[in-house]
Amino acid sequence: LCAAALLFVLAPALLLRVYGHEALMAHFLILAGLQLALVPWRWAPWLTLGAFSVLVHPYLALMTGVLGAGAALAALALRDIAPWRLAAQALACLVLCGALAWAAGYFIGGGSQVSSGGHGFFSANLLTWVDPMDWHAFLAQHGRDVARGREWSMLMPAQAQATAGQYEGFAYLGAGVVLLVLLALVPMPMPMPMRRQGRAQPAPAIPRARWISLVGACAGLALLALSARPSVGATILLDIPLSEGVASALGVFRASGRFVWPATYLLMAVAVSRTVRLPAGGWLLVACVLVQAVDLSAKLSELRHRFRDGPEGAVAAVAAPLWPQALKRCPRLELVATGELGSHWIAPALAAGMAGAQVVPAP
């Protein structure tokens, strides 16, 4: 169990977001959706998951929403719930999540503030699961410091990409998980019966309808991640023309490559589940974790130094001893400026945060 958890913790799709998109690191919401989709329908957990997802990030909210819709269809197919009751629950969920989205500011602005170009540019590549991305080229392209960057893989080569924005669809599995997927293709032995009260009982099976709905939801999100311009490596396979209305709708979630995450984690979970059922499966899983650690060792070393020393050019908190003394007496810092603050707010805000003080812009 610990070895399997380490593989998910070491998922490059998760670690990529430590560079400044911390809200998008809440991948546990996706894992919760995958787990809920395979158990009997319960409304309260789905409502809670949807509410939290809306408050964390809209992309995660859409992912868990699609997973929930798939689970609801499976519940109908299995007759776990009456249609009228499910409709009432869905309406209540939409009302609550809509209210939370309004409170979180989802509907502020309009036009280009809500929808923007980029669909097909910020997409996922068909090779994303085996492509560790050329990190030095990525840093150079975006004007970042190349010297301190380390590549994502020590064992697998980077592949060409169709656009510079396909980092949004980055979902490299890691050499350890790729090996795990290959092991999962080995034919499975007959399942061992479970013993209960002295009698052999077959292991409970997940109904096919739940698997179909879950795989369908993940596949639909993955197709959205590929966008209307699916590509393999540097080759764009086709460019589907979109009407202005459809392009505008897709532009709300223009970084569509992120929607490959549910399929990525489902693939990882299935690979883990199948591998541990092989003879010596536990040891094979540990070996895959070691391969994953070796493959990502350079990147993990970079991240360790980054968080120990801080990124290049990081702003330090105001060091004057007067600041913590003043903030203890007046635990509220208001930022007042006649023009643009730029980055000048960071140092005093860090000092306030270290002192446990509140930081607010002045009205």
Side-chain angles (χ1 to χ4, degrees), residues 55 179 264:
L55 293 175
L179 177 59
T264 301

Side-chain angles (χ1 to χ4, degrees), residues 335-361:
L335 303 177
V336 181
T338 56
E340 291 291 332
L341 272 174
S343 62
H344 299 296
W345 64 273
I346 300 177
L350 285 172
M354 294 171 65
Q358 184 183 9
V359 183
V360 294

Side-chain angles (χ1 to χ4, degrees), residues 8 30-42 45-46 49 67-72 74-75 78 80 204-218 262 265-271 273:
F8 285 91
I30 301 172
L31 297 178
L34 296 177
Q35 189 272 335
L36 286 175
L38 293 176
V39 299
W41 175 264
R42 291 181 297 160
W46 279 111
L49 179 61
L67 295 176
L78 294 169
D80 288 343
I206 298 173
R208 182 178 297 178
R210 292 199 185 107
W211 276 115
I212 292 174
S213 67
L214 178 57
V215 172
C218 291
Y265 287 120
L266 179 61
L267 175 65
M268 292 175 62
V270 170
S273 176

Side-chain angles (χ1 to χ4, degrees), residues 43-357:
W43 178 55
W46 279 111
L47 181 65
T48 304
L49 179 61
F52 274 100
S53 300
V54 165
L55 293 175
V56 172
H57 203 283
Y59 280 82
L60 295 172
L62 183 58
M63 292 181 215
T64 57
V66 171
L67 295 176
L73 291 176
L76 281 178
L78 294 169
R79 299 184 178 179
D80 288 343
I81 187 172
W84 68 267
R85 186 182 295 274
L86 182 61
Q89 292 177 354
L91 179 60
C93 187
L94 287 173
V95 170
L96 174 62
C97 291
L100 291 174
W102 175 83
Y106 277 37
F107 308 119
I108 294 176
S112 61
Q113 293 177 311
V114 175
S115 177
S116 182
H119 180 79
F121 182 78
F122 298 105
S123 61
N125 198 287
L126 280 167
L127 298 179
T128 185
W129 286 339
V130 294
D131 179 17
M133 188 166 57
D134 188 337
W135 188 245
H136 280 178
F138 170 83
L139 293 175
Q141 192 169 37
H142 292 271
R144 307 287 181 84
D145 178 26
V146 175
R148 298 186 63 181
R150 298 292 181 269
E151 296 297 338
W152 281 97
S153 176
M154 298 284 289
L155 304 176
M156 298 186 68
Q159 307 296 320
Q161 294 182 323
T163 72
Q166 289 194 325
Y167 68 90
E168 287 288 6
F170 177 70
Y172 174 55
L173 293 175
V177 177
V178 171
L179 177 59
L180 195 70
V181 171
L182 294 177
L183 288 172
L185 298 178
V186 175
M188 291 289 104
M190 292 296 292
M192 296 296 292
M194 295 172 54
R195 293 193 173 275
R196 183 178 300 171
Q197 297 179 352
R199 296 182 180 180
Q201 298 289 338
I206 298 173
R208 182 178 297 178
R210 292 199 185 107
W211 276 115
I212 292 174
S213 67
L214 178 57
V215 172
C218 291
L221 288 167
L223 288 175
L224 179 58
L226 295 176
S227 81
R229 301 177 70 220
S231 58
V232 54
T235 303
I236 297 176
L237 300 178
L238 68 158
D239 193 348
I240 303 173
L242 302 174
S243 66
E244 184 177 347
V246 172
S248 179
L250 292 174
V252 175
F253 294 95
R254 65 173 190 160
S256 64
R258 300 169 184 174
F259 293 119
V260 77
W261 296 341
T264 301
Y265 287 120
L266 179 61
L267 175 65
M268 292 175 62
V270 170
V272 168
S273 176
R274 289 180 63 84
T275 300
V276 296
R277 291 165 54 194
L278 292 171
W283 291 109
L284 290 172
L285 187 59
V286 170
C288 289
V289 173
L290 294 176
V291 173
Q292 186 84 343
V294 171
D295 187 40
L296 300 178
S297 58
K299 178 57 66 175
L300 294 176
S301 176
E302 177 204 335
L303 296 179
R304 182 172 63 252
H305 289 293
R306 177 183 179 87
F307 287 101
R308 186 186 66 186
D309 304 330
E312 189 73 23
V315 179
V318 178
L322 177 63
W323 275 83
Q325 298 173 17
L327 289 169
K328 284 182 181 179
R329 289 178 169 272
C330 184
R332 175 185 171 93
L333 178 65
E334 292 191 356
L335 303 177
V336 181
T338 56
E340 291 291 332
L341 272 174
S343 62
H344 299 296
W345 64 273
I346 300 177
L350 285 172
M354 294 171 65

